[in-house]
């Protein structure tokens, strides 16, 4: 399916300062997000795709800027314009946001059709997740687009039950990815999807379930107008 226009997917590393998508996929990109935004006026969908790095799996990848100086030059308006361009060129856009809460993340949340919030079942994570959800509640319809994904489900280090997590966050758990630390570490080190390391495993099946549920073919294309989170913050 990688060669089919219907399923073409791009992974954008929006952790501008400390992204790691290129390292995890074991790729050496010719261009980065910074190079693309410098060429806005010359890019059409065809040229845009040609500027992307393509993983062996067929995934298009747009990595974070190489230097911190370049990352600091990317402002929220530029991110918004970039996301609009990518959404027009690809049927499926996956964004890896930062490890903190940066202005670029807020733009991504505003424009996303689905916000996957990955949690682990410990007190600190759930407390911080609750704080973020409280922020989202300030903006109409944003929490409605959040889907909770429990990572490392079944770990012996689990501190809180699924039921308690749902009660705390006041949202259902949509998916669970079973704990499989060695499998994911191996995949990351080799720069390959987990299907190449453990095809058919419980973790692989869990990720496939998420992907199928969120694929463009199964998504609801109708969208309600959204009030601008971007404008509210800036």
């Amino acid at each position: 399916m990688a060669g089919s226009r219907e399923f073409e997917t791009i992974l954008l590393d929006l952790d501008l300062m400390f992204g790691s998508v290129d390292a995890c996929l074991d790729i050496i990109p010719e261009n980065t997000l910074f190079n693309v935004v410098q060429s806005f006026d010359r890019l059409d969908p065809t040229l845009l795709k040609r500027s992307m790095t393509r993983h062996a799996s067929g995934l298009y990848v747009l990595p974070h800027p190489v230097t911190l100086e370049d990352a600091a030059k990317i402002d929220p308006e530029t991110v918004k314009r970039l996301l609009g361009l990518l959404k027009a060129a690809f049927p499926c856009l996956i964004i890896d946001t930062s490890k903190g809460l940066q202005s670029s993340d807020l733009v991504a949340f505003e424009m996303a059709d689905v916000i996957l919030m990955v949690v682990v079942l410990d007190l600190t994570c759930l407390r911080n997740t609750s704080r973020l959800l409280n922020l989202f509640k300030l903006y109409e319809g944003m929490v409605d687009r959040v889907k909770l994904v429990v990572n490392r489900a079944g770990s012996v280090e689990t501190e809180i039950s699924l039921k308690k997590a749902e009660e705390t966050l006041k949202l259902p758990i949509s998916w669970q990815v079973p704990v499989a630390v060695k499998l994911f570490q191996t995949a990351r080190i080799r720069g390959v999807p987990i299907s190449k390391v453990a095809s058919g495993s419980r973790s692989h099946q869990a990720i496939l379930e998420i992907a199928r549920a969120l694929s463009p073919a199964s998504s609801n294309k109708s969208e309600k107008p959204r009030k601008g989170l971007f404008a509210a913050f800036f």
Side-chain angles (χ1 to χ4, degrees):
M1 293 183 181
S4 169
R5 170 70 177 86
E6 181 182 359
F7 293 95
E8 283 184 332
T9 300
I10 179 169
L11 173 58
L12 170 64
D13 193 344
L14 206 56
D15 188 347
L16 300 179
M17 295 293 182
F18 302 109
S20 59
V21 164
D22 53 345
C24 290
L25 293 177
D26 192 27
I27 58 174
I28 302 176
E30 294 183 6
N31 295 299
T32 70
L33 185 157
F34 184 72
N35 301 128
V36 170
V37 299
Q38 285 187 311
S39 306
F40 268 148
D41 296 334
R42 297 185 282 111
L43 290 175
D44 58 25
T46 300
L47 289 176
L48 180 64
K49 289 181 181 179
R50 288 177 181 173
S51 68
M52 302 293 157
T53 301
R54 202 161 191 192
H55 189 261
S57 64
L59 178 71
Y60 289 88
V61 182
L62 186 56
H64 62 92
V66 173
T67 69
L68 295 180
E69 291 84 355
D70 287 344
K73 296 174 184 177
I74 307 295
D75 59 53
E77 285 288 359
T78 299
V79 172
K80 192 170 187 177
R81 187 179 177 190
L82 173 66
L83 297 185
L85 186 65
L86 294 176
K87 289 183 73 172
F90 294 90
C92 186
L93 166 60
I94 301 172
I95 302 172
D96 184 21
T97 56
S98 76
K99 300 171 183 64
L101 188 60
Q102 301 175 358
S103 58
S104 54
D105 301 325
L106 300 174
V107 176
F109 296 149
E110 175 192 354
M111 299 182 69
D113 296 315
V114 179
I115 302 170
L116 289 182
M117 195 170 288
V118 181
V119 301
V120 292
L121 298 177
D122 67 43
L123 181 60
T124 301
C125 180
L126 292 187
R127 181 185 63 183
N128 288 333
T129 301
S130 180
R131 294 172 66 204
L132 184 56
L133 288 172
N134 285 336
L135 172 65
F136 284 4
K137 289 174 184 176
L138 300 177
Y139 304 94
E140 183 179 354
M142 182 161 289
V143 172
D144 296 336
R145 292 183 276 128
V146 172
K147 303 290 184 183
L148 295 179
V149 181
V150 169
N151 193 24
R152 301 179 183 174
S155 170
V156 295
E157 299 177 358
T158 296
E159 299 175 3
I160 298 172
S161 69
L162 288 171
K163 182 179 179 180
K164 185 63 176 178
E166 291 180 328
E167 292 174 353
T168 300
L169 300 177
K170 298 180 176 60
L171 281 177
I173 302 297
S174 296
W175 297 284
Q176 301 177 51
V177 179
V179 60
V181 175
K182 290 184 178 180
L183 293 182
F184 283 104
Q185 284 181 341
T186 301
R188 183 175 59 192
I189 291 170
R190 290 174 52 187
V192 298
I194 193 172
S195 59
K196 298 292 185 181
V197 175
S199 179
S201 65
R202 291 175 60 230
S203 296
H204 179 219
Q205 292 299 323
I207 292 174
L208 284 178
E209 181 182 349
I210 298 172
R212 288 167 181 152
L214 300 179
S215 70
S218 63
S219 298
N220 185 352
K221 295 297 182 181
S222 62
E223 293 187 8
K224 297 179 181 179
R226 300 172 189 163
K227 294 183 179 180
L229 172 69
F230 176 87
F233 270 84
F234 305 100

